[in-house]
């Protein structure tokens, strides 16, 4: 069974940090682009960050630029999202998604994880 499993979500205070993990099983991530999306209650799911299959191409939504860092460890078949200087508006369910090679729009991702809750609150 091809699966992506997110972990690392938690309750954290503003200005705190979390590292989310996206682990693949049943297939290798070597030739997949991996993206992080998030969805807050009552809001559309939005792209947060994406990393290309070779790890050279990375992008971030403007609201997290400079605070979040996406990385991958193909040997561990895992992609990470390091989140620093967290703000209440970062509160959402975070999902990872995969597709072959290149980052793309939401509807073009083939594999999705179940999501992990991130809550930023005083």
């Amino acid at each position: 069974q091809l699966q992506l499993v997110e972990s690392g979500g938690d309750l954290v205070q503003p200005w705190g940090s979390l590292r989310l993990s996206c682990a693949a099983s049943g297939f290798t991530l070597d030739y997949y682009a991996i993206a992080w999306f998030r969805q807050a209650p009552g809001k559309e799911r939005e792209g947060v960050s994406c990393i290309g299959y070779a790890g050279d191409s990375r992008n971030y939504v403007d609201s997290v630029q400079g605070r979040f860092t996406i990385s991958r460890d193909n040997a561990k078949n895992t992609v990470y999202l390091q989140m620093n200087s967290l703000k209440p508006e970062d509160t959402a369910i975070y999902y990872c998604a995969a597709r072959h090679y290149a980052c793309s729009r939401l509807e073009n991702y083939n594999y999705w994880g179940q999501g992990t809750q991130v809550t930023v609150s005083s």
Side-chain angles (χ1 to χ4, degrees):
Q1 181 71 34
L2 305 181
Q3 292 184 336
L4 295 173
V5 179
E6 304 95 334
S7 62
D10 205 351
L11 171 65
V12 64
Q13 293 184 340
W15 305 109
S17 297
L18 287 173
R19 188 180 72 165
L20 305 184
S21 298
C22 175
S25 63
F27 68 106
T28 177
L29 292 178
D30 287 9
Y31 294 101
Y32 287 82
I34 308 297
W36 287 95
F37 294 83
R38 66 185 181 186
Q39 187 165 23
K43 297 184 178 180
E44 299 286 339
R45 189 171 298 186
E46 67 168 344
V48 177
S49 183
C50 186
I51 186 167
Y53 80 97
D56 298 327
S57 180
R58 304 178 184 184
N59 59 66
Y60 304 90
V61 68
D62 288 347
S63 60
V64 309
Q65 182 70 244
R67 300 188 296 119
F68 291 11
T69 302
I70 191 169
S71 63
R72 65 192 301 154
D73 186 342
N74 286 351
K76 296 182 179 179
N77 219 24
T78 301
V79 171
Y80 304 97
L81 185 68
Q82 179 67 46
M83 306 187 296
N84 298 326
S85 301
L86 284 162
K87 304 175 180 179
E89 50 264 46
D90 295 317
T91 295
I93 300 174
Y94 284 71
Y95 301 88
C96 66
R99 70 181 301 274
H100 278 110
Y101 302 116
C103 299
S104 188
R105 295 180 294 274
L106 182 151
E107 62 267 25
N108 291 326
Y109 287 86
N110 307 105
Y111 305 102
W112 289 83
Q114 83 290 345
T116 185
Q117 177 71 50
V118 173
T119 302
V120 185
S121 180
S122 300

